[in-house]
Amino acid sequence: MITPSFHRQLFPNTLIVLILVIVSLFGNCGFGAKGNAETKQIPLVPKSGQKMAVFAEGCFWCSEHIFESIPGVVDVISGYAGGHKENPTYDSVNTETTGHAESVLVMYDPTKISFEELCRIFFLSHDPTTVDRQGPDVGSSYRSILFYQTEGEFQIAKRIKTEIESKKIWYAPIVTEFKPITKFYQAEGHHQDFIKHNPTQSYVQAVSLPRYREFQKRYELYKQN
């Protein structure tokens, strides 16, 4: 949950009710998506001049759209991470038995944006205080996880968490997990760039795009303060 001052500007109660009603009618993240069912493991080796970061913060359609809007981000892949099952699929992850969470692999240019700033964006682009839930999506596959590749990234992630807490943007405790990233599986083809290809889909209209706009406002307010 966020502090009252942010809440009044970004989360009108009528909008929240409307979103929940629409989602109850039209489903959650992934509802109605059809297409290529193939998944694959992505090597965690960035291209020359790039770095990688992995975040889980609820529906990957939303996360992908948010991170793709950030200057310095080169590409974003929706997928699954943090679990024990090899070669997970959307259907298997949704059983909440694989340990995986919907995640995004963010490729970025470190001369234009830092891992530190990406961590700030992570904490500001979703509600990190809800356990196994993000908005209308419920289950461990929608939990908040900040993945790291090195001890240095782990220390940065913890420092940014402390920074966010000190700003009192969220007044409930942050429950984000910190986990080393060992494997990332690219999600099925129809989940990639989903909002770009399906801008009028019901969940996108009711949840994804409002969440994106809320992030934009929150991020601007954060930078001003």
Side-chain angles (χ1 to χ4, degrees):
M1 300 176 72
I2 56 178
T3 54
S5 60
F6 274 80
H7 188 279
R8 285 194 294 271
Q9 297 178 63
L10 304 177
F11 293 100
N13 289 334
T14 54
L15 177 59
I16 293 175
V17 172
L18 178 61
I19 287 173
L20 293 177
V21 169
I22 293 174
V23 171
S24 69
L25 293 173
F26 295 101
N28 61 358
C29 180
F31 179 83
K34 296 180 181 180
N36 180 7
E38 181 181 357
T39 63
K40 63 179 180 180
Q41 185 176 343
I42 301 295
L44 296 173
V45 180
K47 295 179 181 178
S48 177
Q50 296 181 14
K51 288 189 175 182
M52 289 180 164
V54 179
F55 305 101
E57 50 168 45
C59 176
F60 47 26
W61 296 348
C62 305
S63 304
E64 180 186 64
H65 190 64
I66 288 167
F67 280 101
E68 283 182 339
S69 74
I70 304 301
V73 170
V74 178
D75 194 16
V76 183
I77 297 174
S78 290
Y80 315 109
H84 53 81
K85 182 178 174 60
E86 298 289 327
N87 303 311
T89 64
Y90 180 81
D91 288 341
S92 68
V93 170
N94 258 234
T95 66
E96 311 299 346
T97 61
T98 68
H100 288 292
E102 291 194 14
S103 307
V104 287
L105 175 63
V106 179
M107 278 75 77
Y108 65 97
D109 181 344
T111 67
K112 296 181 179 179
I113 192 167
S114 64
F115 179 74
E116 176 179 304
E117 191 64 17
L118 290 174
C119 288
R120 287 193 185 94
I121 291 165
F122 165 79
F123 281 114
L124 295 170
S125 61
H126 76 300
D127 183 348
T129 71
T130 52
V131 178
D132 294 344
R133 179 171 193 153
Q134 196 58 220
D137 299 313
V138 180
S140 61
S141 61
Y142 298 108
R143 68 193 189 275
S144 174
I145 313 174
L146 199 165
F147 294 95
Y148 59 90
Q149 291 184 292
T150 66
E151 178 63 23
E153 287 187 346
F154 181 39
Q155 295 304 320
I156 290 171
K158 291 195 297 182
R159 176 165 55 80
I160 298 304
K161 173 178 177 283
T162 300
E163 175 188 303
I164 295 292
E165 289 174 327
S166 71
K167 301 285 187 179
K168 300 188 183 301
I169 294 171
W170 310 99
Y171 59 81
I174 291 177
V175 297
T176 298
E177 298 176 23
F178 296 95
K179 298 187 71 171
I181 183 68
T182 56
K183 293 181 180 179
F184 180 89
Y185 296 93
Q186 179 174 318
E188 296 83 344
H190 53 281
H191 287 300
Q192 308 303 324
D193 292 313
F194 188 85
I195 293 176
K196 176 182 177 181
H197 298 304
N198 303 274
T200 61
Q201 196 261 7
S202 58
Y203 181 96
V204 169
Q205 287 289 312
V207 180
S208 302
L209 294 180
R211 176 177 161 183
Y212 171 64
R213 290 190 287 268
E214 288 160 7
F215 158 71
Q216 288 180 308
K217 293 177 182 178
R218 192 182 302 120
Y219 192 33
E220 285 305 312
L221 285 172
Y222 189 85
K223 288 188 289 186
Q224 291 171 14
N225 295 328

